[in-house]
Amino acid sequence: MSQLMDYYKAIEDSSASMLDAARREDWEAVLRYESACAVLIEQLRFQAQRQPLLPEQRRERSRIMQRILRNDARIRCLAEPWLARCEQLLADRLPALH
């Protein structure tokens, strides 16, 4: 297994942890995992410039990316009601501009 694939799998693991945290409505944990993903993605970008993937690795990367995208969609569905509540709280606290 290449180091590059290890990054993809680590991002997928972090994405799954984000989804678990979102299901628990632990938004602070979601943000922590999101930050970890951002660091891993930057490291992945750097390594990807130096290390090409073999055909089988590209297929596995595609499967991993599809799982990450599904996790992301599920997280967004869970977060939307929470975001709407936050927006409403802010709207209630801020004076209306005329």
Side-chain angles (χ1 to χ4, degrees):
M1 186 60 58
S2 74
Q3 183 180 14
L4 196 54
M5 291 306 298
D6 290 341
Y7 281 113
Y8 283 108
K9 289 182 182 210
I11 294 166
E12 180 185 14
D13 290 344
S14 188
S15 170
S17 295
M18 281 175 61
L19 178 56
D20 289 340
R23 286 179 174 146
R24 294 189 313 272
E25 295 187 14
D26 184 351
W27 305 112
E28 288 181 25
V30 171
L31 293 175
R32 283 193 307 273
Y33 289 118
E34 185 177 39
S35 294
C37 276
V39 170
L40 289 166
I41 289 167
E42 282 306 310
Q43 293 170 341
L44 172 67
R45 283 185 182 141
F46 178 75
Q47 289 297 323
Q49 295 173 2
R50 308 163 132 201
Q51 186 179 5
L53 292 175
L54 300 172
E56 179 55 37
Q57 291 172 321
R58 287 194 298 270
R59 286 188 288 278
E60 178 63 15
R61 175 189 61 189
S62 179
R63 289 188 291 267
I64 289 170
M65 294 301 295
Q66 288 172 2
R67 289 189 296 264
I68 291 169
L69 290 172
R70 277 194 303 271
N71 288 345
D72 184 61
R74 291 175 182 142
I75 291 164
R76 288 180 191 279
C77 286
L78 292 167
E80 284 177 3
W82 177 79
L83 290 172
R85 285 193 305 270
C86 287
E87 288 174 2
Q88 186 59 50
L89 284 172
L90 288 173
D92 290 346
R93 291 184 182 175
L94 295 175
L97 298 175
H98 295 112

